[in-house]
Amino acid sequence: MSSNFTVSEAIKRMQPSATLAAAAVAAELKSSGADVIDLSIGEPDFDTPQHIKNYAIDALRRGITKYTPTAGLKSLQKAIIGFYEREFGTTFGANQIIATVGGKQAIFNAVLSLINADDEVLLHQPYWVSFPEIVNFTGAKIVEIETEATHFVLTAEAVKNAITDKTKLIIVNSPGNPSGRVIPSDEFRRIVEICAERNVYVISDECYLKFVYPPAEVFSTASLPKELQDFVCIAGTFSKTFAMTGWRVGYTVANQEWTRGMAKLQSHSTSHPTSFAQEACALALDNWDETNLALNQMLAEYSRRRDYLIPALNELGLPCEMPEGAFYAFPNVRGCFDGQIKTSADFADLLLKEAHIVTTDGAGFGVEGFVRVSYAAKFERLQEAIERIRRII
């Protein structure tokens, strides 16, 4: 007897993650013995700061190994509240916070608890590869906002022009993946004001919140007035800025009703993140001076890499906006198109085959003709990558 198994329509609508696919290619090449320079991965190349690892070890010794409430440990909720009060002068209630299994689940929870199939969701290009697939899972219609004309910075005017009577949500990511661009705080506030006026909700993906290079400024929607915050769900994570990708701890901050809906969903999926990882995250926030010191050391090194890489890409004829945050460059490769290289996927494939450099095709981020280059790689490897690219183009 043969099976007639077919995946659900919701899964059929989704595409595999382009970034994870690129990482898999890199791993396969490395296993074959090739000298691969992997510039595809969205993961800090730094280890988790030692004091945070010590917190987790101590939590294990103290027996923090059991189930926690769906919304997370009280210690973590309290630490998140303290962080936003200290950094942005805003006090949230514990009933507005849920600990999630990474930032990806935070966004998944927020979208699925709000969106119906007949809604429209706005995404600004270039967007993180998972945004459209999470929306596709709901069956809702995606409306893309083009931002190349504004150098990949979302504007309030563009949002205003994109909203229709069916618009229910916009997902905003600043600092952005893959562009590294930062929306100025005044512009971001105006975006939320326009959305609130039209009863449109906002997911603010603040994954790279603290990875901002001066003179750009750190901005969180937590600093907005309460009447605007009621329309916002902050999706945060410890993965990037604390170099804790494998720990899988994120969180949401939203109004009470939205939070209740997300908690209901999560109670039937992951229940909660790992207990001792939550405790380590709580202590990382509570002991902020030490954590912030480690963060600033990482940021200084990323800044050094950025200041080398972007001019080098421009010199090679791969025009690239200067990222104000995160650790990505998003160069334009259309100038390399010819009879054989017709798409950004072709260009990425050329780098892979001829130079053993792994990048991510920009089409997966909604913009053809660009590639994402992660500079979460050692400085010397970035230099070697530039030399390899120079030889083939």
Side-chain angles (χ1 to χ4, degrees):
M1 183 183 296
S2 61
S3 169
N4 293 320
F5 177 81
T6 305
V7 299
S8 69
E9 293 302 316
I11 296 301
K12 286 180 181 178
R13 289 193 294 267
M14 300 177 79
Q15 298 296 318
S17 168
T19 53
L20 294 182
V25 169
E28 185 175 349
L29 271 175
K30 289 176 184 176
S31 68
S32 69
D35 179 19
V36 176
I37 301 178
D38 186 0
L39 305 181
S40 71
I41 193 163
E43 179 176 41
D45 58 309
F46 297 95
D47 193 10
T48 303
Q50 186 60 47
H51 71 287
I52 300 178
K53 292 193 285 187
N54 291 341
Y55 295 149
I57 293 168
D58 181 62
L60 283 167
R61 288 174 176 156
R62 288 187 284 126
I64 302 179
T65 59
K66 305 296 184 182
Y67 289 137
T68 78
T70 298
L73 289 172
K74 294 297 181 185
S75 60
L76 179 54
Q77 290 181 312
K78 183 178 178 181
I80 292 170
I81 291 169
F83 170 78
Y84 282 101
E85 186 169 14
R86 181 175 61 246
E87 297 295 308
F88 302 105
T90 303
T91 300
F92 294 107
N95 56 6
Q96 294 180 263
I97 296 168
I98 297 176
T100 62
V101 182
K104 189 175 290 189
Q105 187 182 32
I107 296 165
F108 200 89
N109 285 352
V111 173
L112 265 66
S113 59
L114 176 71
I115 296 302
N116 297 307
D118 56 350
D119 293 328
E120 290 182 357
V121 177
L122 304 181
L123 301 179
H124 60 102
Q125 303 169 334
Y127 40 68
W128 180 44
V129 295
S130 290
F131 289 164
E133 304 314 325
I134 292 171
V135 176
N136 282 337
F137 189 81
T138 70
K141 179 183 177 181
I142 295 170
V143 176
E144 298 186 6
I145 301 176
E146 185 273 324
T147 65
E148 189 173 346
T150 52
H151 308 284
F152 297 137
V153 176
L154 180 66
T155 66
E157 186 67 20
V159 173
K160 183 178 180 179
N161 292 337
I163 292 175
T164 73
D165 291 341
K166 290 188 175 182
T167 306
K168 186 72 170 290
L169 173 70
I170 181 171
I171 306 177
V172 183
N173 178 212
S174 177
N177 175 8
S179 70
R181 300 310 307 274
V182 171
I183 301 170
S185 56
D186 289 345
E187 193 73 17
F188 207 141
R189 176 179 176 133
R190 184 60 188 143
I191 288 169
V192 179
E193 287 175 341
I194 288 170
C195 289
E197 289 166 4
R198 297 291 298 274
N199 202 36
V200 173
Y201 289 86
V202 179
I203 294 175
S204 179
D205 179 3
E206 301 184 5
C207 176
Y208 301 94
L209 175 65
K210 285 287 186 175
F211 273 2
V212 175
Y213 310 104
E217 298 179 345
V218 173
F219 173 77
S220 171
T221 50
S223 62
L224 296 175
K226 186 181 183 306
E227 62 269 19
L228 295 179
Q229 288 178 19
D230 285 345
F231 286 87
V232 178
C233 174
I234 295 171
T237 180
F238 294 84
S239 292
K240 310 294 186 178
T241 49
F242 296 169
M244 298 175 67
T245 51
W247 297 60
R248 310 313 301 137
V249 183
Y251 59 88
T252 52
V253 184
N255 67 57
Q256 294 179 35
E257 187 174 357
W258 201 346
T259 300
R260 281 196 295 270
M262 290 187 284
K264 184 188 295 185
L265 173 62
Q266 185 165 296
S267 73
H268 293 294
S269 57
T270 59
S271 296
H272 59 79
T274 301
S275 55
F276 55 86
Q278 288 188 55
E279 179 71 357
C281 290
L283 291 168
L285 291 178
D286 286 342
N287 295 277
W288 182 245
D289 287 347
E290 189 172 10
T291 302
N292 195 42
L293 177 62
L295 190 158
N296 286 334
Q297 289 170 344
M298 288 188 280
L299 189 60
E301 176 57 22
Y302 285 131
S303 182
R304 183 171 83 102
R305 297 172 188 177
R306 177 195 72 149
D307 292 347
Y308 162 75
L309 179 64
I310 307 308
L313 289 170
N314 281 295
E315 184 185 341
L316 289 174
L318 304 176
C320 185
E321 300 285 350
M322 180 64 78
E324 298 102 340
F327 41 70
Y328 306 111
F330 200 54
N332 185 333
V333 301
R334 292 168 184 157
C336 298
F337 289 1
D338 55 23
Q340 292 182 315
I341 308 299
K342 300 178 180 179
T343 66
S344 49
D346 290 341
F347 182 83
D349 193 50
L350 173 70
L351 292 185
L352 181 64
K353 291 179 178 178
E354 300 295 330
H356 285 171
I357 297 172
V358 187
T359 58
T360 312
D361 172 20
F365 301 96
V367 183
E368 171 57 58
F370 291 73
V371 295
R372 189 186 77 171
V373 177
S374 169
Y375 48 93
K378 301 302 180 188
F379 192 88
E380 296 74 20
R381 297 301 275 169
L382 293 175
Q383 291 177 310
E384 172 63 21
I386 289 296
E387 290 308 310
R388 292 186 190 184
I389 295 171
R390 191 188 310 278
R391 288 195 292 268
I392 65 171
I393 70 170

